[in-house]
Amino acid sequence: MFGAVPLLIVPFVLYNLGLLGLFGGGDEPWMIEMFSFRMMSGGVFSMTLGDLMVLIGLIFLFIEISKSVRTTNASILDHLLSTLVFIAFLVEFLLVKGAAHSVFFTLMIIALFDVLAGFSVSMRSASRDINLN
């Protein structure tokens, strides 16, 4: 049952926790520098909280696409719930002032890719399961 839970709900919840001020940073918590270090080239690599949120979303997208190759009854529920997560992203993006941010928009597009890839991979693998004689 837990295999059907879309993992992209995690960045959605984390973003909303950031909007509530759990990560600090006032109105713009996504610009908080998480870490930085000097590269051998002399440049400085730094990662903000917003960058980390997008990275988390991409990692979960990879896992979700890997899960979509299954052809079980749970995969149908997973696709349905992934669609609901994307709809939640879209509604929040349109209606919540704090969600009008490039980090949230990127996470929403990642959720859209999850829905599209999940359905297309499932349809492709289902067509291979049909044997025509």
Side-chain angles (χ1 to χ4, degrees):
M1 179 65 184
F2 289 113
V5 175
L7 296 176
L8 286 174
I9 197 145
V10 173
F12 182 77
V13 170
L14 288 175
Y15 189 92
N16 285 307
L17 290 175
L19 284 182
L20 293 174
L22 233 57
F23 304 134
D27 291 339
E28 192 66 35
W30 314 117
M31 298 309 290
I32 296 173
E33 187 175 293
M34 301 302 293
F35 60 87
S36 67
F37 55 90
R38 185 163 299 280
M39 305 295 287
M40 291 184 348
S41 65
V44 177
F45 174 78
S46 64
M47 181 167 279
T48 64
L49 183 59
D51 297 333
L52 186 62
M53 289 292 295
V54 171
L55 182 62
I56 290 170
L58 288 171
I59 290 168
F60 284 139
L61 175 64
F62 174 75
I63 296 169
E64 283 294 316
I65 290 175
S66 299
K67 284 176 23 181
S68 69
V69 219
R70 315 176 291 193
T71 54
T72 63
N73 290 337
S75 66
I76 295 170
L77 180 62
D78 185 34
H79 296 320
L80 176 67
L81 293 175
S82 292
T83 305
L84 291 177
V85 168
F86 169 68
I87 290 170
F89 267 108
L90 182 62
V91 168
E92 185 167 342
F93 180 69
L94 295 173
L95 299 178
V96 177
K97 182 180 179 183
H101 195 277
S102 63
V103 171
F104 192 82
F105 180 77
T106 304
L107 292 173
M108 181 181 70
I109 296 301
I110 289 171
L112 174 64
F113 286 169
D114 174 35
V115 171
L116 295 176
F119 281 118
S120 62
V121 166
S122 293
M123 286 190 308
R124 182 77 174 149
S125 63
S127 68
R128 290 182 180 175
D129 289 343
I130 297 173
N131 292 324
L132 300 174
N133 292 328

